[in-house]
Amino acid sequence: MALADETRVPGAPRNSALDWLYRREGRQIIGQVLIVIILGAFLWMVVSNTIYNLQKQNIASGFGFWDNTAGFDISQTLIPYSATSSYGHAFWVGLLNTLLVSVIGIVFATIVGFSVGIARLSNNWLVARLATVYVEVARNVPLLLQLFVWYFAVLKNLPGPRDSIQLPGGSVLNVRGLSLPAPVPQSGAGMVLVAAIVGMVAMIALNVWATRRQRETGQPFGRLLPSLALLLGLPILAAALMGFPFTFDYPVLRGFNFQGGIVVLPEFIALLLGLVFYTGAFIAEIVRSGIQGVSRGQKEAARALGLTSGQMLKLVVIPQAMRIIIPPLTSNYLNLTKNSSLGVAIAYPDLVSVFSGTVLNQTGQAIEVISVTMLVYLTLSLSTSAFMNWFNSRMKLVER
Amino acid sequence: METALRATGTEPRSSRHGTAVELVDVHKWYGEFHVLKNINLSVAEGEKIVICGPSGSGKSTLIRCINRLEEHQKGRIVVQGTELTSDLRNIDKIRADVGMVFQSFNLFPHLTVLDNLCLAPTWVKKMPRAEAEKTAMHYLTRVRIPEQALKYPGQLSGGQQQRVAIARSLCMTPRIMLFDEPTSALDPEMIKEVLDVMIELAQSGMTMLCVTHEMGFARSVADRIIFMDRGEIVEQGPPSTFFNNPREERTRTFLSQILNH
Ligand SMILES: Nc1ncnc2c1ncn2[C@@H]1O[C@H](COP(=O)(O)OP(=O)(O)OP(=O)(O)O)[C@@H](O)[C@H]1O
Ligand SMILES: [Mg+2]
């Protein structure tokens, strides 16, 4: 004790209760407490002020509005919905529309990104150049502008229904969107469905078996054709046996518009194209830098062992590049999901447009509507991150 | 020890016939820079060659031309009777015959030691996995680390990693092994364990071309030492004459630098 006292800096406070003020941990705690207090005060001010204003305007609070009749139509609904449905119902319609465009967008952006990223590193001059031009254009033009280009310049300039572009298989493309024939099941269609499921299961089993066989005998098994035969051949065979138990509801021109079939809205197509084209360019850059981040020595070792360039890419380069690629890839998936809210600018009925737009306007309940919307995006983001973190931890290198 | 070391199919050769590698008037440029000048070299089957020379003299470039990691622009390179041209089939054939060990090991960090060893046999030679594992364990035992089979490269010491790298090349049963300064990234206490493995490999009759500054190794193992400077082969000969009676002034300067430090 005496020793400790002597090592004190002269003039430092002797009061031991105040001692921790002069230590690093003490300072850190004080700093954090201050931040919490300031943030809390700020939030309280904003919220209480808003509540006060809303009360003054006679706007209700709480979620009582959830079951009230919405009274407006939505152009794209994945679940049954009409103007007489509730606000809550409209929320789910919007959420599903957001999920639809995001999930499909993520899948295609990933395919585009990986292909273009690999193409940028191609030895083929033309391929590499084209990929570079695409990346530079798509990354450097604002997404909102790209959406306008796809929507107003491309899709809204398509011919009207009477001069529709006829696509193979009875589909038509016009200014109102893409109309696809819708299959209508007749009696016996259940058998075809069963055959399709059996085919899919058999295909998975075949691939598991082929992987194991290659491990055991070294002989690769051409799996593409048998897989396709199981996946497509089996349902087709079943359909033939049942006498093709489907009729198709073809889009047909009635009056000024096409009726029937499945209609894909131009707003959806434009938003999807924009998100894929834009995000794909960023993913391409991530993939390129990930591949370049794998050391030259790795590629040389693979080549010296006699691996072909395809095998080198698949077995040596991509698995190592993935650990560089995944974290920024995750944030691009999140960006795509959040950017889908820009669809509001071209009237795509996503969550923001339907719920934070129309519902909020009609009810005026900003706090509830915005909080719910934020909570949804937060949940989407956190679950995407959680999944990608799990994926990343599987890719991690084992170090000493 | 001796018997365990013998690679399957590489019996020691007392008499040497056949040419393993033949370089005739080989030139290479990096842009304007003339990195290999008029290289003529004939390596007999089973011969051990040590290549030395100052930094930047083109030693790595020379041996990397032999398995086409680098392309030569003039002259002929023939490996086990196959000429290196831009014909991909020839390149594949030659790479199957030639193994290479790098200064920086270049093990695949995302695969276990065993998977590192099995990768090329299963994918290039289409060998059944069980057989590939058996071969892998055989060579891991030869380099004396069978117990590390299930670890990842990042969990091994440098010397162990380099021995795995040697075993990985041997799994493809090459007829020629190229070494590019295999011990220069290693701590002194690990150099010996790698050199011991290389000495045993030499005794098994493998044709070897080693770029190295380990002069003790060169003295005891090499049949011929090649001294390169500024892209040329300046002098070559058996270790006794090379170390005791170098003809060229440049060789003498180099030897005095390397032996006296
Ligand atoms: N890809 C390249 N592009 C241009 N110059 C290169 C390239 N690779 C090597 N060089 C040059 O070629 C010369 C020979 O290089 P090389 O690596 O063969 O030398 P080295 O004898 O192996 O040297 P060290 O003992 O330092 O490994 C050096 O001057 C080097 O700078
Ligand atoms: Mg070198």
Side-chain angles (χ1 to χ4, degrees):
Chain A
M1 262 333 262
L3 258 175
D5 269 340
E6 274 158 27
T7 55
R8 261 180 196 285
V9 183
R14 295 199 148 253
N15 188 338
S16 63
L18 280 180
D19 242 9
W20 64 277
L21 261 180
Y22 292 89
R23 295 215 195 90
R24 179 183 292 241
E25 314 90 68
R27 298 251 162 135
Q28 276 173 350
I29 291 174
I30 292 178
Q32 288 171 22
V33 167
L34 278 178
I35 290 175
V36 169
I37 290 175
I38 293 171
L39 264 179
F42 177 72
L43 276 180
W44 182 81
M45 255 172 56
V46 172
V47 171
S48 63
N49 195 30
T50 316
I51 291 178
Y52 172 77
N53 285 333
L54 289 175
Q55 276 169 349
K56 231 171 51 178
Q57 294 169 36
N58 263 335
I59 288 171
S61 60
F63 285 91
F65 71 92
W66 198 259
D67 292 323
N68 295 351
T69 306
F72 59 87
D73 277 313
I74 303 178
S75 56
Q76 173 184 303
T77 56
L78 295 181
I79 49 176
Y81 173 91
S82 71
T84 53
S85 304
S86 65
Y87 285 128
H89 214 92
F91 163 83
W92 289 111
V93 170
L95 176 56
L96 285 175
N97 285 343
T98 289
L99 286 177
L100 180 75
V101 79
S102 304
V103 170
I104 298 180
I106 283 175
V107 170
F108 282 107
T110 308
I111 296 171
V112 168
F114 272 76
S115 317
V116 174
I118 291 171
R120 279 204 72 179
L121 297 171
S122 165
N123 288 331
N124 184 320
W125 185 86
L126 187 64
V127 169
R129 249 327 106 94
L130 283 176
T132 309
V133 169
Y134 157 65
V135 166
E136 290 308 332
V137 169
R139 277 201 315 169
N140 291 313
V141 176
L143 175 56
L144 190 58
L145 190 57
Q146 293 190 29
L147 292 181
F148 286 160
V149 169
W150 288 114
Y151 188 61
F152 294 114
V154 180
L155 295 170
K156 281 289 152 187
N157 279 333
L158 287 172
R162 286 175 178 281
D163 314 303
S164 290
I165 303 168
Q166 300 286 338
L167 299 174
S171 310
V172 289
L173 185 64
N174 58 41
V175 70
R176 305 265 169 94
L178 175 68
S179 299
L180 305 165
V184 182
Q186 307 292 311
S187 78
M191 282 310 293
V192 181
L193 188 69
V194 170
I197 294 172
V198 169
M200 205 182 304
V201 172
M203 186 196 74
I204 294 170
L206 174 88
N207 278 284
V208 170
W209 173 81
T211 309
R212 187 168 313 153
R213 194 183 92 127
Q214 184 170 6
R215 245 178 102 85
E216 277 160 15
T217 65
Q219 294 311 307
F221 181 81
R223 41 181 98 180
L224 187 65
L225 283 180
S227 296
L228 281 180
L230 286 173
L231 195 65
L232 302 177
L234 216 54
I236 291 175
L237 187 70
L241 287 179
M242 302 304 295
F244 288 101
F246 289 100
T247 54
F248 281 92
D249 176 17
Y250 286 100
V252 279
L253 191 61
R254 292 222 182 82
F256 292 111
N257 201 1
F258 274 88
Q259 305 277 315
I262 303 169
V263 182
V264 187
L265 292 183
E267 291 78 30
F268 175 82
I269 301 174
L271 181 58
L272 185 68
L273 282 174
L275 289 173
V276 167
F277 193 77
Y278 180 76
T279 317
F282 285 93
I283 295 179
E285 281 301 275
I286 292 166
V287 169
R288 181 179 67 97
S289 64
I291 289 177
Q292 283 178 332
V294 177
S295 76
R296 214 165 56 123
Q298 292 289 310
K299 298 168 199 168
E300 286 175 353
R303 280 200 286 154
L305 284 168
L307 298 181
T308 64
S309 23
Q311 290 170 335
M312 176 176 87
L313 207 59
K314 168 174 137 192
L315 302 168
V316 175
V317 177
I318 298 266
Q320 293 186 61
M322 280 316 273
R323 77 206 147 95
I324 312 175
I325 291 175
I326 290 173
L329 187 64
T330 309
S331 65
N332 269 286
Y333 286 173
L334 300 181
N335 280 344
L336 187 145
T337 309
K338 291 180 284 185
N339 283 341
S340 72
S341 60
L342 285 177
V344 73
I346 53 172
Y348 177 72
D350 79 318
L351 181 66
V352 168
S353 160
V354 169
F355 194 64
S356 303
T358 316
V359 172
L360 183 124
N361 269 333
Q362 293 195 6
T363 63
Q365 291 193 249
I367 296 202
E368 292 81 357
V369 169
I370 296 291
S371 319
V372 167
T373 314
M374 275 166 52
L375 211 64
V376 166
Y377 279 100
L378 194 66
T379 312
L380 289 182
S381 296
L382 289 180
S383 23
T384 311
S385 297
F387 173 76
M388 295 302 278
N389 282 344
W390 166 82
F391 190 48
N392 199 23
S393 67
R394 291 198 42 187
M395 287 283 174
K396 255 223 202 83
L397 291 185
V398 180
E399 303 281 351
R400 187 153 26 177
Chain B
M1 215 57 212
E2 277 286 286
T3 44
L5 300 175
R6 243 151 242 170
T8 33
T10 41
E11 288 302 306
R13 290 176 185 83
S14 43
S15 64
R16 294 184 187 125
H17 16 245
T19 309
V21 184
E22 175 104 64
L23 287 88
V24 183
D25 192 20
V26 170
H27 291 260
K28 175 170 179 60
W29 287 264
Y30 282 125
E32 290 286 290
F33 181 55
H34 201 170
V35 56
L36 292 180
K37 300 169 191 159
N38 188 27
I39 302 287
N40 288 286
L41 177 65
S42 175
V43 183
E45 275 186 43
E47 197 178 6
K48 284 92 184 113
I49 305 263
V50 162
I51 302 170
C52 59
S55 180
S57 54
K59 311 178 293 291
S60 300
T61 310
L62 173 62
I63 66 165
R64 288 159 60 87
C65 278
I66 294 173
N67 67 347
R68 241 321 146 102
L69 289 185
E70 303 288 351
E71 208 174 312
H72 62 286
Q73 275 104 32
K74 188 162 172 269
R76 272 160 51 87
I77 299 180
V78 183
V79 181
Q80 300 286 355
T82 309
E83 177 165 4
L84 264 179
T85 57
S86 48
D87 188 333
L88 291 175
R89 286 165 301 183
N90 284 9
I91 297 176
D92 286 344
K93 195 150 165 255
I94 287 172
R95 285 192 180 147
D97 273 338
V98 180
M100 183 158 201
V101 174
F102 302 84
Q103 180 175 352
S104 47
F105 326 135
N106 294 344
L107 293 177
F108 305 130
H110 61 298
L111 300 177
T112 61
V113 166
L114 191 62
D115 287 338
N116 262 278
L117 269 62
C118 291
L119 188 76
T122 49
W123 286 93
V124 180
K125 286 193 166 177
K126 316 271 181 245
M127 191 188 274
R129 173 77 189 186
E131 193 187 328
E133 284 187 8
K134 226 176 96 207
T135 320
M137 289 314 294
H138 168 78
Y139 287 110
L140 277 182
T141 312
R142 271 188 80 189
V143 301
R144 306 196 199 101
I145 35 174
E147 73 283 358
Q148 309 288 355
L150 298 180
K151 288 199 183 161
Y152 284 87
Q155 298 170 305
L156 304 182
S157 75
Q160 290 172 326
Q161 289 192 48
Q162 193 60 297
R163 286 185 281 156
V164 171
I166 294 173
R168 180 175 67 176
S169 286
L170 293 178
C171 279
M172 292 298 283
T173 51
R175 299 168 73 174
I176 301 166
M177 283 289 286
L178 309 174
F179 292 84
D180 191 358
E181 307 202 31
T183 55
S184 16
L186 296 177
D187 293 336
E189 68 268 26
M190 295 171 190
I191 291 181
K192 185 172 178 302
E193 64 189 49
V194 172
L195 288 182
D196 284 348
V197 166
M198 289 171 62
I199 290 169
E200 288 166 20
L201 191 63
Q203 286 163 350
S204 78
M206 179 71 75
T207 311
M208 290 165 62
L209 283 93
C210 313
V211 175
T212 180
H213 292 145
E214 293 296 330
M215 288 302 141
F217 172 82
R219 226 185 266 272
S220 62
V221 172
D223 296 312
R224 186 156 36 125
I225 300 185
I226 287 176
F227 174 66
M228 286 186 71
D229 191 16
R230 286 181 225 145
E232 291 170 311
I233 295 182
V234 174
E235 179 164 0
Q236 53 179 309
S240 49
T241 41
F242 183 81
F243 285 112
N244 303 332
N245 291 312
R247 276 193 325 266
E248 301 284 331
E249 184 53 41
R250 279 194 270 178
T251 318
R252 260 173 260 151
T253 323
F254 175 76
L255 282 177
S256 69
Q257 277 165 357
I258 203 159
L259 295 176
N260 293 338
H261 78 253

